Structure formats: structure tokens, C-alpha cells
Amino acid sequence: MLNQKKVAFVGSGIMAEAVIKGLLRQGLVTPDRIIASGPRPERGQELFDRYGVRTTTDNVGAVDGAQIVVLSVKPQVLCRVLEELGDHVDPGALVISIVAGAKMDTIQRMLGVPAVVRVMPNTPAQIGLGISVWTDTEATTEVQKEQALAILRALGEEVYVEDEGDMDMATALSGTGPAYVFLLMEAMVDAGVHLGFSRHVSERLVVETLRGSVEYARQSPRHLAALRNQVTSPGGTSAEALYHMEKGGLRTVLSRAIWAAYQRSRTLGSQAQRGGCDA
């Protein structure tokens, strides 16, 4: 399905690398069919050394002849990049955007390409354990949808949504979610060090605890609250710890943080429009 396709990445950051790695890991595309563009030649050299893919600093040259174009730039520079690419993308190409807040109709209009897939992946995609939320334009063909699915499944799991507005919610929950988990892990490791463990031992205990807990939750049919109750004996250590978490407003802080991320995602989209994309 993708073997003979040229796949161009406009933007060569962490998430672009995750997609490249996934494509090559699954054998969906050979390195010579992938090209990545970015402003830093040294970054391009890194990708070439690691994966053998072609790299360039010329965005227009990268998309020339590409059947699949992956937009993976920062939201703040998207308008400039779209203006630069202009009419240089093949109208029959599939454009996959992993740019937070970027609206599909904006990409359609500025590139003159009807088939657009908008994706919100997350960083565990780098090891094939990501979760990607995606949607597409009505003009995206079934073949192009299958192509997008093949790419996303190389990164881990995927969830399709019909309403593009849901993408901002996905950005706040799953796209940004790893940052919340890493902060929690960091706090737990620091607490373990405060108790007296070495940082190495504390980090190992925390990482394995979270890994086992997540897999246990994934395999169990029981509600998360029921799983929590399994380790919360009346008057025990878990009950004491949870009391202080609730007293400190952990749930409220998390909820407010996710809501703030959601609002920020919507703001980024609006800024892109005000910045000239919809002028």
C-alpha cells in the first residue's frame, strides 16, 4: 500500500522521527522513499545517520512528487510553511497534519489539496506504544484513509473521531498526557529519594510500578476505582496517602490542567488563523 509512495516530512522534529521510525520498523516504506525537511542541516544529518532517509532544508523540494506529505512543524510557523508550499503539493496527495490546533480547512485551502488527515499522536509513538486520535476531510478517499491508518498503526493504537473539534480535547488529554505522567513519576522518584532510597533504586521502583499498574488496568475489566480500592485497606498506608492527595486537590489540579491545555490548543488554532492563514 505504501511501498512505492514517496513520503515527505515537512518538519523533522521528535514526532516526525517517531513516524519515520514506525514506518521503517513495520517495513511500510523503504528509507529511499522518505525525505524530511527542516531548517537545521545537523538535524537532517542525524536522521540520515540513524535511518538512512534523505534530508533537505528545502521544504518545496521535499514535497515535489510526494504522494504523502506529513506536516510536522511547530504551530507558530505553520502559516509561513503553508504559504511557502503554496501550489507545490500534488493536488492528489494525502496531507497528514500532526500540527496542534491546525484546522483542516485551512490546510486544504492554502495547499489546494482536498485530502487532509489531522492527527494528534503522543510521544510513546516513538516505541510503538502511542495512541493517535485522528479525523479527515470528506474528500479523503478510502484508499487514503487506509494509508493513514497503516501509518498510525505503526505508532501504536488509534482512535477515529468524526468531529474535528474533538481534536483539541485529544490534544489536552492524550497528546499532552505523557507530560502529566512524567511529572507524577518525577515527584514519586523525588519522594523515594527523600525517604532514603538512592535515585537509581527509587526510579526503578516507580517506573516498574507504573508499568505494571498500567498493564494491569489495561487487562482488567474492572473500573479504575475498583482497582484502586483493591490496594486501599481501611486505616492502611494507601488510605492515608490517598487522603492527603484528595485533601491537596490532586483531582482538581489535574482537571484544571487538562482544561487549560484544551483552551491552549484552541488558542493556537485561533492564533494561526489570525496570523494570516485565513487572511
Side-chain angles (χ1 to χ4, degrees):
M1 180 182 298
L2 298 177
N3 278 342
Q4 301 306 313
K5 304 295 183 183
K6 175 184 176 181
V7 184
F9 289 81
V10 180
S12 54
I14 292 175
M15 288 311 304
E17 181 175 0
V19 179
I20 291 171
K21 187 187 301 185
L23 290 174
L24 298 177
R25 181 174 55 238
Q26 297 296 323
L28 297 175
V29 183
T30 55
D32 61 295
R33 303 297 297 173
I34 296 176
I35 186 169
S37 65
R40 296 171 47 234
E42 62 273 21
R43 173 58 175 166
Q45 187 63 45
E46 288 178 4
L47 294 178
F48 173 77
D49 292 342
R50 291 173 188 169
Y51 309 107
V53 300
R54 294 176 293 156
T55 62
T56 180
T57 57
D58 179 10
N59 291 334
V60 172
V63 303
D64 183 35
Q67 291 89 9
I68 299 175
V69 176
V70 181
L71 297 175
S72 48
V73 298
K74 295 182 183 301
Q76 294 85 348
V77 302
L78 178 65
C79 289
R80 177 176 58 79
V81 169
L82 293 178
E83 289 172 353
E84 178 187 6
L85 294 179
D87 298 325
H88 296 286
V89 178
D90 187 329
L94 168 64
V95 175
I96 299 176
S97 171
I98 58 175
V99 183
K103 300 293 190 294
M104 293 189 296
D105 59 354
T106 298
I107 296 171
Q108 281 182 304
R109 179 175 49 78
M110 295 193 70
L111 295 184
V113 175
V116 178
V117 169
R118 180 178 171 185
V119 183
M120 175 45 59
N122 61 12
T123 51
Q126 296 182 72
I127 58 171
L129 293 176
I131 179 73
S132 298
V133 181
W134 67 288
T135 190
D136 59 350
T137 58
E138 291 185 5
T140 306
T141 67
E142 289 302 317
V143 171
Q144 290 171 324
K145 289 180 182 180
E146 288 300 320
Q147 292 171 345
L149 268 175
I151 293 172
L152 297 182
R153 286 171 179 167
L155 307 179
E157 301 291 329
E158 51 79 26
V159 174
Y160 177 80
V161 295
E162 294 186 359
D163 187 347
E164 186 178 7
D166 291 350
M167 298 300 296
D168 290 319
M169 295 190 291
T171 299
L173 190 61
S174 58
T176 315
Y180 316 147
V181 176
F182 296 144
L183 179 61
L184 173 64
M185 293 173 69
E186 185 181 356
M188 290 177 67
V189 170
D190 288 344
V193 172
H194 179 70
L195 291 174
F197 283 121
S198 69
R199 185 160 295 275
H200 172 74
V201 169
S202 184
E203 185 170 310
R204 183 181 178 191
L205 291 175
V206 170
V207 168
E208 293 303 317
T209 296
L210 265 74
R211 184 173 73 152
S213 299
V214 167
E215 186 60 24
Y216 183 34
R218 191 183 71 84
Q219 294 187 25
S220 175
R222 306 184 69 182
H223 191 279
L224 291 173
L227 298 181
R228 173 174 53 80
N229 287 335
Q230 283 184 336
V231 292
T232 310
S233 302
T237 57
S238 297
E240 183 70 14
L242 292 172
Y243 167 77
H244 284 279
M245 289 182 185
E246 298 286 11
K247 186 177 180 181
L250 178 63
R251 291 175 189 261
T252 301
V253 168
L254 277 174
S255 180
R256 287 177 176 172
I258 293 169
W259 177 259
Y262 167 67
Q263 293 293 335
R264 180 56 178 165
S265 178
R266 297 183 64 185
T267 298
L268 287 173
S270 298
Q271 287 177 343
Q273 292 173 351
R274 291 197 301 270
C277 282
D278 283 349

